[in-house]
Amino acid sequence: MKKEMRLPEPLYRAVKPLFASHERWHAARLPGSSSLRGPGTDFPGLRALDEPGSGEQFLAYHRQMLRRFLEVAAGETRSGFALDRWEHFPAWLADIFAWSHPGFLPGALLRASEIVRSGSVDDLGNFLESTLVSGDPYRGLHNIAHAKIALYEEHRFGAAHPALRDARMDSPASSPHNEHFWSLHAWIDALYSERLARTGETTEDDPARSEVMSRRPARGPAAEG
C-alpha cells in the first residue's frame, strides 16, 4: 500500500470546499436531528436513517459526490491523480477484515451480491450503509470499511503521519480527502449501477461513464473475500 492516502495537494485544495457539507449531510440523517433536515434547511428532502428511502438516498448522494470528484480530478492535471477503482476489496483491506472481524467480509460480499440480484436499490443502500431500516447480520460494509481503513492506516503509518492530516477515514468531515474514500465509493457505485441495470434503469450522472473511471493505476493482488 502506498503512503499517499491524502489526495495530492492541488486536488485536496480543490475538493475540500466542494464536500464540506458531507459531515452535515450524515449528521442530518440521524433520527434525533430533525431540525437539520426538511423544509427550510440545507437538506429539504432528506430522510432519516430509520425511514424507508434512506438507503437509496445514500447511494444517490454519494454518486453525485463521486461524479463531481471525477470532474474535478480530470481538470486538475497538476496532481497526476488516477482513481484506483476497486473491482474487489484490495488484499490489505481484506486481510484486516479477516484479522479483526473474522468471517464478516465473505458473508457481507455474498449478501451484497444477492441484494444486487433480487433486492431493491433502497435495500442495497440500507444494507451497505447499515441504516436503521436494515436488520441484516452482515449489514454495514460501508461503515465498517471506513473504520477498518482508518485502523490500518493509523496502525501502519501512525496517527500523526502527514498523509493522514485532515484525511482520516473514520470522520465524515475528513474522509473525502482520502484517496481510499473514492475507491470505496466507486466500488459501491458499481453495485448501484448493476442493480439499476438489472431492472433496465439508469441515471444520467452514472460515474461509470466517466473517462476518468477507466484510468486505473496498476495494483497488487486483490481479494474477493
Side-chain angles (χ1 to χ4, degrees):
M1 181 183 178
K2 299 167 295 193
K3 287 188 178 181
E4 288 151 3
M5 295 177 286
R6 198 174 94 150
L7 296 170
E9 190 65 23
L11 186 55
Y12 163 78
R13 290 198 302 268
V15 162
K16 184 170 182 176
L18 290 177
F19 305 118
S21 63
H22 179 248
E23 181 181 32
R24 292 189 293 109
W25 185 85
H26 277 285
R29 299 171 74 228
L30 298 174
S33 299
S34 58
S35 63
L36 301 180
R37 61 180 182 271
T41 72
D42 290 339
F43 312 109
L46 192 61
R47 300 188 181 187
L49 289 172
D50 57 355
E51 295 178 318
S54 59
E56 184 169 6
Q57 286 188 338
F58 166 78
L59 295 173
Y61 176 80
H62 288 87
R63 165 164 287 190
Q64 292 172 359
M65 285 185 67
L66 181 60
R67 181 70 186 184
R68 184 68 179 119
F69 172 76
L70 291 170
E71 291 171 350
V72 173
E76 185 46 78
T77 56
R78 292 173 299 169
S79 69
F81 178 84
L83 177 65
D84 186 4
R85 183 180 55 157
W86 294 345
E87 295 179 5
H88 308 290
F89 274 26
W92 58 266
L93 182 54
D95 286 346
I96 197 167
F97 265 94
W99 170 73
S100 62
H101 217 132
F104 177 82
L105 185 58
L109 293 175
L110 177 61
R111 182 69 182 119
S113 295
E114 292 171 349
I115 295 173
V116 165
R117 288 195 301 269
S118 60
S120 69
V121 168
D122 197 40
D123 291 337
L124 180 63
N126 287 325
F127 171 77
L128 290 173
E129 189 191 11
S130 186
T131 67
L132 302 180
V133 175
S134 175
D136 193 293
Y138 286 108
R139 69 190 182 278
L141 185 53
H142 160 267
N143 294 2
I144 297 171
H146 267 266
K148 300 302 183 192
I149 294 169
L151 176 65
Y152 177 89
E153 291 176 340
E154 182 173 343
H155 175 74
R156 180 164 180 181
F157 303 113
H161 195 284
L164 289 176
R165 180 169 53 85
D166 195 26
R168 290 184 59 90
M169 280 290 283
D170 55 1
S171 166
S174 61
S175 56
H177 312 149
N178 189 306
E179 63 175 330
H180 299 120
F181 176 93
W182 302 104
S183 295
L184 173 62
H185 279 281
W187 179 83
I188 289 172
D189 195 77
L191 296 181
Y192 182 24
S193 290
E194 184 178 352
R195 174 82 288 275
L196 291 172
R198 285 178 178 272
T199 56
E201 300 174 75
T202 187
T203 61
E204 290 300 319
D205 62 345
D206 186 344
R209 301 178 181 183
S210 169
E211 180 182 345
V212 181
M213 287 289 281
S214 65
R215 301 206 313 253
R216 295 201 302 268
R219 295 175 298 164
E224 293 183 281

